[in-house]
């Protein structure tokens, strides 16, 4: 940065100079503060020569960015880190109690409903009606569901389209898929849903192996069998939903295409193929680059990335790979941590703490909402006594609240 000549004169002035020299310097300084030097100090200013120059006329004073967590208690901050399940057909008592007593700030519509948009909206209002200064600090809820299409579509009935499965979506022209996704997004918005846990972007090795892949291929949830097809369809799907005011969650990082077991029903499910540089991981990299705001982690083990922990509990996977190498700074959501067979060796309390320590932001407890109570209690208790963990809680809560501010207003 260049230095104005006037500044040089100031630096070179010395208090012990002769009076004549001082007069010369004063004359030069007087010329420097004229109209030709915007932003210079006023001749009447008492600001010392070493002080920072005054702000140029007309430049607005920067307004400090308010902390999105200001005013939230620890319990309310922790509540933002959980998503509790309720049947899509009725507001569950356990979910309602979780909001009232544990300040849980997000809800998932589970199971299957054929009641249509109006009935679903009524269920949603029962839960979101609990938002208050006491429960969620007035923050709105993320209302989520699984509306992928095909065999994984929670909401049906009057007002909801029958959404094609992943393979069919991947075969559509992206522009057509985008337009259809706008329609599906408007239907979700009409029902009060603002977060869809999809699209699935898991990369399977080939069509021939799909049937042997229980969580994805068996149900035709994959969008295709090459990265380009998957990312093109995923971008179209996400873009259509977002145009309708609904956010989406790409899943299941770092990929379930190479597993032969379903973590919901089987323990010890391990991917021994995927590495940090595998094409399946690069699909997620592309989605992050294309603006994905939410990513869901799987509960499989990845022996060539971190053999010690399921992905949702692994700092190596979440902080090192997803946030570090892929540069993701959005919201990380776990797969369901309530009834999945893969995580039953840990207590609910341990699951929640491990997920937050790994770098997750929202712990999903969709199938069995009763586990939310011990989960929240454990996170609050550890945050009270562990300063480092408290910082992780605050960082996660800040990401969740900021995402709500950006997408929900």
């Amino acid at each position: 940065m260049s230095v104005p000549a006037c500044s040089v004169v100031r630096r070179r002035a010395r208090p012990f100079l002769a009076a004549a020299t001082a007069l010369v310097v004063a004359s030069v300084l007087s010329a420097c503060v004229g109209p030709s030097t915007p932003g210079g100090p006023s001749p009447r200013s008492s600001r010392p020569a070493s002080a920072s120059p005054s702000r140029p006329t007309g430049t607005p004073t920067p307004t400090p960015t308010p902390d999105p967590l200001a005013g939230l208690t620890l319990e309310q901050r922790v509540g933002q880190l959980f998503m509790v399940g309720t049947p899509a057909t009725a507001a569950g008592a356990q979910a309602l109690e979780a909001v009232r007593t544990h300040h849980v700030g997000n809800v998932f519509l589970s199971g299957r409903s054929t009641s249509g948009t109006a009935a679903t909206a009524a269920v949603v209002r029962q839960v979101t009606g609990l938002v208050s200064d006491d429960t969620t600090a007035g923050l709105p809820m993320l209302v989520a569901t699984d509306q992928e299409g095909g065999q994984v579509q929670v909401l049906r009935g009057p007002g909801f389209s029958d959404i094609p499965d992943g393979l069919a979506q991947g075969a559509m022209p992206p522009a057509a898929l985008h337009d259809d996704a706008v329609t599906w997004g408007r239907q979700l918005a009409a029902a009060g849903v603002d977060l869809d846990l999809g699209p699935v972007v898991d990369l399977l090795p080939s069509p021939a192996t799909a049937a042997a892949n229980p969580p994805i291929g068996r149900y035709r949830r994959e969008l295709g069998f090459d990265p380009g097809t998957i990312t093109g369809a995923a971008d179209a799907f996400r873009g259509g939903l977002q145009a309708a005011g609904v956010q989406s969650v790409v899943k299941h990082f770092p990929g379930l295409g190479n597993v032969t077991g379903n973590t919901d029903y089987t323990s010890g499910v391990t991917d021994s193929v995927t590495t940090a540089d595998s094409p399946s991981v690069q699909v997620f990299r592309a989605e992050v680059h294309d603006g994905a705001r939410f990513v869901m982690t799987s509960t499989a083990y990845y022996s060539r990335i971190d053999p010690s922990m399921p992905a949702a509990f692994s700092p190596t996977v979440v902080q090192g790979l997803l946030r570090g190498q892929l540069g993701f700074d959005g919201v990380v959501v776990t797969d369901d941590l309530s009834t999945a067979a893969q995580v039953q060796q840990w207590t609910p309390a341990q699951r929640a703490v491990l997920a937050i320590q790994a770098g997750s932001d929202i712990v999903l407890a969709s199938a069995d909402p009763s586990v939310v109570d011990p989960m929240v209690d454990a996170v609050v208790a550890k945050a009270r006594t562990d300063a480092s963990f408290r910082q992780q809680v605050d960082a996660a809560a800040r990401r969740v609240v900021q995402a709500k501010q950006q997408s929900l207003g």
Side-chain angles (χ1 to χ4, degrees), residues 146-154 156 162-166 169 196 219-221 237:
D146 274 328
Q147 200 79 340
E148 299 172 18
Q151 297 185 58
V152 185
Q153 181 175 341
V154 171
R156 298 180 186 269
D162 287 334
I163 303 175
D165 62 34
Q169 291 179 35
D196 188 4
Y219 299 101
R220 294 174 54 91
R221 299 170 71 190
F237 185 91

Side-chain angles (χ1 to χ4, degrees), residues 74 78 353-354 356-358 377-395:
L74 172 60
V78 171
V353 170
L354 286 170
I356 301 303
Q357 286 179 321
D377 288 343
V379 172
V380 169
K382 186 169 181 61
R384 282 177 176 154
T385 59
D386 184 331
S388 177
F389 184 72
R390 171 65 181 262
Q391 290 178 345
Q392 288 187 294
V393 166
D394 283 352

Side-chain angles (χ1 to χ4, degrees), residues 207-230:
T209 64
N213 178 264
I216 309 299
R218 188 170 296 175
Y219 299 101
R220 294 174 54 91
R221 299 170 71 190
E222 68 274 24
L223 292 171
F225 297 96
D226 66 275
T229 298
I230 293 173

Side-chain angles (χ1 to χ4, degrees), residues 2 26 139 184 214 239 297 312 332 361:
S2 61
L139 292 168
W184 305 332
T297 52
V332 176
D361 301 311

Side-chain angles (χ1 to χ4, degrees), residues 303-318:
S303 61
R304 300 183 66 183
I305 301 175
D306 180 3
S308 67
M309 282 286 185
F313 298 158
S314 169
T316 300
V317 171
V318 181

